[in-house]
Structure formats: structure tokens, C-alpha cells
Amino acid sequence: MCGIVGAIAQRPIAALLLEGLKALEYRGYDSAGLALLENGAAQVVKTAGKVAALEAKVKELGCDGRLGIAHTRWATHGKANEVNAHPHLVGNVILVHNGIIENYQDLKHRLAAEGYTFKSETDTEVLAALIHYYQHRDLKSDSSLKMHTSKFNAFNQALNEVKGTYGVAMIDCENPDALYVARSGSPLVVGCGIGENFVASDIIALLPVTSKFIYLEDGDRGIIGRDHIMLFDRDQVQVQRTVQSIQVNPEILGKGPYKHYMQKEIFEQPEALRNTLMGRLGDDNVSAEAFVAQGQAQSQAQGQAQSQAQGQAQSQDQGPGQDHPQDFRDILKDIEHIEMVACGTSYHAALVGKYLIEEHAGVSTNVTIASEYRYKRTIVPPKSLFVTLSQSGETADTIAALELAQSQGYSQTLAICNVDNSSLVRMSQYVFLTRAGREIGVASTKAFTTQLLALMLLTLALGRARGEIDAHTGASLISALHQSPSVVQSVLKLDREIERLSSDFVGKEHTLFLGRGPMYPIALEGALKLKEISYIHAEGYASGELKHGPIALIDSKMPVIVVAPDNIWLPKLISNIEEVKARGGKLYIFSGKNFGHSDEATMFDLGTISPFIAPIAFTIPLQLLAYHVAVINGTDVDQPRNLAKSVTVE
């Protein structure tokens, strides 16, 4: 993985492919390359490092063509170097690939016995060789194999043998009129033009050239020409997929007045929260429009003009769904257990959700890292709801967990996601679409806080359905939810103070984050943000665990960051703070109004905040701190090393 762009046109496309790769840089990568076909001659250009280096190389060589594919690679098999970069060329076959071919070693040994040699360490080159093998093997001894002589049949034959995930784009030097594509577990979209067509792993790469897209279904394969698109399902039956018109505000592609996308997205959070709340709250309960059946998700997204202004893709075609789906709030009346799975930042959101749901709705809740869920025995209690959380909706581990859950007897499945056409949304029975808008920075910010808001709405709906939250309490919680955008706006005013504070972290190698109750996952998230963009080792702990090990690390050189809102855990948290003081730890405390003052700590008073929405509010200063420390450290804030925005491999 990580980014794919391809085009077949009547005009030169090198610049188009390079601009597409630039648009995908936010996903994270470590090498880049492209292949162009013109007058039967292929040019393959690759480089380690950034797209800018590839662009310079393409211009120096004078490369161009009317058929081509390009790729940004996030290394899985083999080091990040020019040899392992995509595209891979084997004979007349040129291939780019997102995903992982799990049986590539077996295939490689078999192909080596057939005389193939390999230049790279990648699984992708093996797939290219397998396609080439099926194109060129001797068929004279077995006439029954003649069906495999066509380019597309060879493409299919090879893909039928691989195990794993792939989003593939291929060109064949012997056929200048076709771009071959396939999708299995890794997203791929076809862009539709006039006299030209395109393919990409994300529509953002194609927005400058088209507004009409076909989202490939899992198992789809196709032949893309300049004037036609032929698609087939996994059984090789020709299919028609809906062409969707996507309108996206072009401002999402720029940073505006901000230095980095991450900074811009931190400050977009009040608007993202407002958009996510819009039309979803009544007087004392969540509205019926908040949680919708899968088929309604796209049409709901269409009507959100504010979300569109923030950059969320809006579909103009309603997908398939139930004509009269059951109100999700009625389904919640019978739910007795919730299982949530997610990865990374979304996992931290789910942990907050567990505290909220059990406290306010009285429903037992379990949270599992998605990559662990598939490989452990799971006991599914009766009347269980399976909830997945993902910013992109394409996270491979989360999708795999949902696929398994669908065979395990859960009553319903719910996806909380920011992308309305994503795989996770299409696979789930019910959907809550957050309206964070497109998030470009690799480190998630506004997607996280809108996930927290979604879980607060789920808590409210569940508590009202089960009678755990009465109308008066429901109205009080709704009032707090309505305040969340303005509360975040107020907390953002601490930016300058936190920027000054960030200089304290120059030269620091370790940081400890502490919280209790629902602030424990916020401490985990604060530590994750600091480590992933500033490269400072950081750990989040439930502060009650301090004396069970981490306290051994505390000295005058160790920054200790505490999230301390006004809640039932505050007295115990203050005791943990005293333990840090006694050992000379350097304390930074983000507190509520009732904490008071400590002369031995750097204090930030966030004011009076409802405990229900405190996880959102107390996330903001930790995001700002991570951002400013990263800037001081001189790291690549939006594209931190070794990280990808959407992890589409297991």
C-alpha cells in the first residue's frame, strides 16, 4: 500500500498522475513511482522518498504518455527503496498494488521453478510475474487451457490464486487501450470522464479531473478504456455499478491560514461537532435520523450542506437499502450487551464509550482491538450489538472483525464512520455518519472528537430506550451536547499558552499521561498523539496504576501530564498527583474549575464543563500540545514517519 492513481486518456497524463500522488501524500508513504505507455514503449520511473523527487526525475527524463499508473508505497514487504517501489515490471506486465499477498512466498518458489527471477523483495512483483506467467505459458499441450489466453483472463486467473488483500491497477505494454483494475479488501474507485477514465485508491486524487465516480465492490475486476468501463464481480459475471456524482469543496485541499493540515483540523473541531449534531437531537432524546439503516446513509449525507462545506463527500445517488427500516432506537430496547472493535485512535474513542454506556445506559460493554478480535474465542451474549469505529471505513483489521462478527450471531451491527461510501458503512446494518469533513493529517483529531460525540449520542439513545435515562436527565445531557462546540471553541483559546509550554519538551525523551475513569482513554490518546508526531516516547496510564510500576520512572526530568476534570474521580486523582510531587516529577495539569491551584505544577483551567462532554473538551489541549511539540522538534507533522492515514493491510 498506500496510494494508487491511474489514467487512460487522449491527452498526456504524466502531470495528472503526479498531481494525484500529491493529493494522496496525506496517507503516508516512503517511496513513489509511475509507469507511462506511449506508442508501445513503456517508461517506469521510481524513487525512494517524496513525490517531489519523482516529479523532478520525470521532468528530467521527459516522460509522458496517454496510459499510465502511479503509486506511493508504504513499505510492508521489503525496505523503502527504489527497487521495492511500485510500479513493478515483469515482461509486458506493469503493476501497482495496495494490500498484502499472503501466499506470495509459495507463489514465488513456484515461479522461480518456471525460470522467473525477482529484483525486489515485494509481494507485488510476484503478482506481476504470476499474471505474466498465465499470459505466456505454453498452451499447446492442453487445448482446454485456451480460455486463459486473453489478457483479462490471465489477470483473473492470477488473482484467483492469491490469498490476502489487494487493490490493483495494471497496464500491459502489448495493449495500449486498456487499464486493468481489481479490488479485494483494499479500496479502489473508478473516475468517469469524457474520452478518458481514471482509477484511484481515494477520490481526492481525481477531484481535479472528474466529479463522477464508481466505487468498486469487494471482488470486482474490470477493464477500463477511454470510452468504456467493463466491470465483473468475483464470479466473473458482468455487472453495472452506480455512477455517483460527488461534490466536494475544493478548499479542503488547502491549509488556508494554517501551517499544517493537523493544525487546521484541530481548529475545525467546533464546526465538525456542530455538523455532527445537526438534526440529531430532540428535546430529551436522540432523533430517529441519527442512526440510519445502511441504505439510507448516502442519502442522509447528501442533504448536509454544512458537512459538504467542510469537505465531506456527498453522494447524489441513494444506495440500496430497506424501504422501511426499523427505527434504531426501537432496536436498542432489547440490547443487553455491546461489543466494540476499533484500531488506534478509534480504539481510544471506544474505550471512552464503554465508560459512558455502562455509567449512563447500564449496558455491559466490551472493547477489543480489531486486530485481536479475529484471533480469539469470542462469547457472544444474547441480544448483542456489534459496533465498529473507523475514520476511513477502510481499516483492514476492523473490516475483517466485522466480517467475522456477521457470522457470530449478533443482533445488529453499527458502524460509526466519517466516510459515507466506505466499505465499513456498506457492510453494516446501521450507520452513524460523523461529519468531521475530510481529514488530511495522518494524526486523527476532528475525526476522534466527532467519534466521541457519536458515542455520547449512542449512550443517550440506549439509556432512553432502556429507561435508564429519564426525560429530565435526557434533556440535561442534550443541553451539554449542544454546548460542546462552544466549549471546544473556548478551550482552543489556550493555544498560545500551550505553544509557550511546548518549549519545556525540547530534549525530552519520555512523557507520562495520567487520567481516571473516562479520562484514562483520553490520557492514552494524548500519549499516542505526542509519540506519533513528535517521536517522543509517551505512555498513558490510569493514574491508580501509578504505584504499580510507572512511578519508578518519575524524576525531575520526566514530564507528567494530568487530565483532571471535575468528576467523581477527582479526589483520588489528586492523591495520585501528590505521589508524583513527592518524587519530584514535573507536573502539567489540565483541570476543571474545582481543582484549585498547585504551586508545584503548571496549571491550565478549562473551566466548568459537564462531565458528559469532558472527554471531548480535555482532548483539545493534548492535541495542541502534541502539535506544538512536533513543530519545535521539526518533524513532518502531517506525514509522520512510518505511518499511514488509512491502514488497509492487516
Side-chain angles (χ1 to χ4, degrees):
M1 66 183 224
C2 188
I4 289 174
V5 188
I8 181 166
Q10 298 173 355
R11 54 171 168 156
I13 59 169
L16 183 156
L17 296 178
L18 288 165
E19 288 303 310
L21 291 185
K22 290 176 185 177
L24 295 176
E25 285 188 295
Y26 78 96
R27 298 170 68 93
Y29 68 103
D30 42 48
S31 61
L34 59 72
L36 295 157
L37 190 64
E38 184 77 353
N39 298 323
Q43 295 174 299
V44 178
V45 186
K46 304 193 287 186
T47 183
K50 297 298 184 181
V51 172
L54 175 66
E55 184 176 33
K57 201 169 180 179
V58 169
K59 288 181 178 178
E60 178 185 350
L61 296 173
C63 303
D64 219 331
R66 289 167 172 77
L67 171 62
I69 50 179
H71 191 265
T72 51
R73 177 177 185 256
W74 185 81
T76 54
H77 296 79
K79 296 179 180 179
N81 57 33
E82 185 174 315
V83 173
N84 289 327
H86 299 204
H88 287 283
L89 170 64
V90 178
N92 54 290
V93 173
I94 309 175
L95 190 76
V96 295
H97 162 230
N98 284 349
I100 290 179
I101 306 302
E102 296 174 357
N103 61 334
Y104 85 103
Q105 288 284 16
D106 292 339
L107 295 171
K108 189 172 186 177
H109 291 317
R110 197 181 94 198
L111 290 165
E114 296 287 341
Y116 284 85
T117 59
F118 297 91
K119 299 175 183 177
S120 77
E121 304 167 86
T122 68
D123 53 340
T124 303
E125 187 183 11
V126 175
L127 177 56
L130 187 64
I131 295 168
H132 181 270
Y133 166 74
Y134 278 116
Q135 284 187 354
H136 295 87
R137 67 178 177 170
D138 184 8
L139 304 179
K140 293 180 181 178
S141 60
D142 189 348
S143 59
S144 67
L145 295 177
K146 289 182 180 178
M147 62 178 290
H148 301 302
T149 58
S150 78
K151 304 291 187 184
F152 190 58
N153 282 338
F155 185 65
N156 280 318
Q157 182 80 353
L159 291 174
N160 288 340
E161 285 202 35
V162 303
K163 298 177 182 178
T165 60
Y166 53 80
V168 168
M170 184 192 87
I171 59 179
D172 189 299
C173 298
E174 298 172 352
N175 186 0
D177 298 318
L179 174 60
Y180 302 89
V181 297
R183 181 217 166 151
S184 180
S186 189
L188 211 59
V189 61
V190 175
C192 308
I194 299 173
E196 57 187 13
N197 289 304
F198 315 92
V199 65
S201 51
D202 189 322
I203 66 166
I204 196 171
L206 303 179
L207 291 176
V209 292
T210 184
S211 61
K212 296 185 179 298
F213 299 93
I214 298 171
Y215 288 85
L216 297 188
E217 299 288 337
D218 215 44
D220 281 357
R221 299 165 189 178
I223 307 170
I224 313 300
R226 291 174 179 83
D227 298 304
H228 66 274
I229 297 170
M230 296 176 62
L231 298 177
F232 303 82
D233 65 16
R234 64 175 67 253
D235 297 319
Q236 298 183 35
V237 176
Q238 190 166 357
V239 293
Q240 297 292 326
R241 301 295 184 205
T242 303
V243 178
Q244 301 187 30
S245 297
I246 307 295
Q247 303 298 325
V248 178
N249 189 327
E251 290 182 4
I252 67 165
L253 302 179
K255 301 184 185 77
Y258 299 98
K259 187 175 181 180
H260 298 95
Y261 282 111
M262 181 180 178
Q263 184 186 32
K264 174 175 178 273
E265 288 153 9
I266 289 172
F267 280 87
E268 286 176 343
Q269 286 175 111
E271 186 67 19
L273 294 168
R274 276 190 285 270
N275 289 341
T276 299
L277 284 174
M278 189 175 301
R280 287 169 163 171
L281 291 175
D283 293 333
D284 58 18
N285 197 2
V286 175
S287 69
E289 291 75 23
F291 300 90
V292 299
Q294 180 274 331
Q296 294 177 309
Q298 293 178 359
S299 58
Q300 184 196 62
Q302 177 185 353
Q304 301 303 325
Q306 288 85 353
S307 181
Q308 180 177 343
Q310 283 290 320
Q312 175 73 38
Q314 305 300 319
S315 168
Q316 295 180 359
D317 300 284
Q318 183 172 347
Q322 306 172 53
D323 291 333
H324 301 286
Q326 186 176 0
D327 189 327
F328 187 69
R329 298 172 303 177
D330 293 333
I331 290 171
L332 292 178
K333 293 177 183 178
D334 296 324
I335 294 299
E336 296 180 357
H337 175 77
I338 293 178
E339 184 77 28
M340 290 196 279
V341 299
C343 301
T345 286
S346 296
Y347 172 69
H348 296 157
L351 289 175
V352 173
K354 172 181 168 66
Y355 279 98
L356 297 175
I357 291 168
E358 292 186 340
E359 172 68 22
H360 295 280
V363 176
S364 70
T365 303
N366 188 54
V367 181
T368 305
I369 296 170
S371 57
E372 295 290 319
Y373 184 84
R374 299 173 65 190
Y375 302 105
K376 70 178 187 70
R377 181 181 177 185
T378 298
I379 308 301
V380 181
K383 301 179 180 179
S384 293
L385 172 67
F386 191 83
V387 180
T388 55
L389 294 93
S390 171
Q391 185 281 135
S392 68
E394 302 295 349
T395 308
D397 288 318
T398 307
I399 290 171
L402 176 57
E403 288 174 339
L404 176 60
Q406 288 170 333
S407 67
Q408 292 178 320
Y410 285 93
S411 297
Q412 300 288 341
T413 60
L414 167 69
I416 296 174
C417 186
N418 193 42
V419 181
D420 63 323
N421 282 294
S422 63
S423 299
L424 204 66
V425 166
R426 293 197 299 267
M427 292 169 60
S428 300
Q429 292 166 287
Y430 284 85
V431 176
F432 184 101
L433 286 174
T434 59
R435 299 167 184 156
R438 186 167 291 276
E439 192 176 67
I440 304 296
V442 167
S444 182
T445 52
K446 60 180 181 175
F448 176 68
T449 51
T450 53
Q451 284 178 344
L452 292 178
L453 192 60
L455 289 165
M456 291 167 188
L457 267 66
L458 176 60
T459 298
L460 176 59
L462 191 61
R464 292 291 285 131
R466 293 173 48 82
E468 294 281 338
I469 298 175
D470 60 25
H472 175 75
T473 303
S476 176
L477 295 178
I478 285 172
S479 176
L481 291 169
H482 279 306
Q483 293 171 19
S484 60
S486 60
V487 167
V488 168
Q489 193 71 59
S490 178
V491 176
L492 285 168
K493 294 176 183 177
L494 295 172
D495 180 53
R496 290 298 178 88
E497 292 180 57
I498 294 173
E499 183 178 9
R500 288 191 291 269
L501 164 70
S502 63
S503 61
D504 288 4
F505 288 76
V506 173
K508 295 292 190 283
E509 296 181 354
H510 310 281
T511 302
L512 196 62
F513 288 74
L514 300 177
R516 290 194 87 128
M519 292 299 114
Y520 162 50
I522 299 305
L524 291 173
E525 175 61 14
L528 176 61
K529 283 292 158 286
L530 188 66
K531 73 179 75 170
E532 67 183 343
I533 65 168
S534 75
Y535 312 152
I536 293 175
H537 173 248
E539 296 293 339
Y541 269 90
S543 61
E545 283 292 290
L546 186 65
K547 53 187 167 290
H548 296 288
I551 201 167
L553 298 172
I554 293 176
D555 58 22
S556 61
K557 298 178 181 179
M558 168 73 84
V560 180
I561 297 168
V562 185
V563 280
D566 299 329
N567 58 28
I568 61 172
W569 289 274
L570 184 58
K572 293 296 184 183
L573 181 61
I574 290 174
S575 297
N576 302 137
I577 290 170
E578 292 299 322
E579 294 168 353
V580 175
K581 287 181 182 179
R583 286 151 183 86
K586 179 64 173 174
L587 276 160
Y588 301 88
I589 302 174
F590 296 95
S591 69
K593 184 177 181 180
N594 295 324
F595 184 90
H597 180 74
S598 174
D599 292 331
E600 301 173 55
T602 301
M603 302 290 300
F604 293 86
D605 182 358
L606 274 64
T608 301
I609 298 171
S610 164
F612 192 56
I613 63 169
I616 294 174
F618 280 80
T619 293
I620 306 305
L622 305 187
Q623 294 174 347
L624 290 169
L625 178 63
Y627 171 75
H628 288 300
V629 173
V631 170
I632 285 179
N633 281 356
T635 63
D636 191 341
V637 173
D638 288 331
Q639 299 170 38
R641 67 188 182 199
N642 304 329
L643 296 179
K645 181 64 176 174
S646 178
V647 183
T648 57
V649 297
E650 184 181 358

